[in-house]
Amino acid sequence: LKMTCVQAVAAQHLGLDVRALVREMLEAPLDHLPPQMLLNIGWVLEEQGQLDEALGYARQAAAGAERTHDLSVAATAWNNVGVLNHKQGHPEPAAAAYRQAIGIARQSGEVRVLAMALGNLAELQESLPLIDEALNILEGAGHDDLASYFRQQQAAFRGRSGET
């Protein structure tokens, strides 16, 4: 199953048809899969538009990562839980998941995940201060690619709110 997961992630990145690999992953027992693998399976399912299934895997990854004290994966998984709830129009569980990701990312020092979760929560709640915080974190850590995205978000928020 591990090889199937790796193949599915690579094929998805390349834009190849992953349906057969997804079927194989979904039919396999998940009892002893590491949280990172569950997270990867969830990402492939999300990319395939299977949001409910992806959410289940993201939740399993978050719980498993917390059990094993893998804070990096836990923060990423909780952020993904938030994103999936957000995409499905469930703002309260999305906000709760983002807050969980933020707390774990702060604890673990995962700067990029912290900024992503702050930015996602900011987008959900239309909060300029959260966007500003995410941008400050990214700029301070040298994550220029993600900082550029948040600068665009910041400008959009300011434009909607009438700020300059």
Side-chain angles (χ1 to χ4, degrees):
L1 181 59
K2 289 180 183 181
M3 269 319 273
T4 302
C5 180
V6 170
Q7 287 175 317
V9 169
Q12 184 66 50
H13 277 294
L14 294 171
L16 302 174
D17 184 358
V18 296
R19 288 178 293 193
L21 294 167
V22 167
R23 274 193 305 278
E24 189 176 332
M25 286 187 304
L26 293 176
E27 292 170 358
L30 305 175
D31 300 345
H32 302 290
L33 290 182
Q36 181 63 55
M37 186 168 297
L38 294 169
L39 193 57
N40 289 342
I41 293 170
W43 176 79
V44 170
L45 292 169
E46 178 184 0
E47 291 295 305
Q48 294 296 304
Q50 298 179 37
L51 300 184
D52 288 333
E53 293 85 355
L55 182 57
Y57 280 88
R59 284 183 180 138
Q60 285 182 309
E66 284 185 337
R67 267 194 314 279
T68 61
H69 305 288
D70 187 343
L71 299 182
S72 175
V73 172
T76 301
W78 279 115
N79 185 61
N80 288 10
V81 168
V83 167
L84 291 161
N85 275 297
H86 194 161
K87 283 183 175 182
Q88 291 181 308
H90 305 293
E92 292 82 14
Y98 291 146
R99 285 188 195 98
Q100 185 76 5
I102 290 165
I104 294 170
R106 283 190 199 283
Q107 180 183 354
S108 67
E110 289 292 329
V111 173
R112 190 172 177 89
V113 177
L114 172 59
M116 287 186 333
L118 282 166
N120 289 337
L121 183 59
E123 182 180 322
L124 179 70
Q125 297 179 342
E126 296 189 0
S127 169
L128 187 56
L130 287 175
I131 283 286
D132 292 341
E133 183 179 355
L135 190 53
N136 287 335
I137 290 168
L138 289 168
E139 288 173 338
H143 291 287
D144 296 331
D145 58 332
L146 198 51
S148 175
Y149 169 78
F150 283 117
R151 275 189 219 91
Q152 293 171 354
Q153 293 294 87
Q154 184 184 50
F157 281 138
R158 285 197 168 125
R160 283 195 299 270
S161 67
E163 290 185 36
T164 56

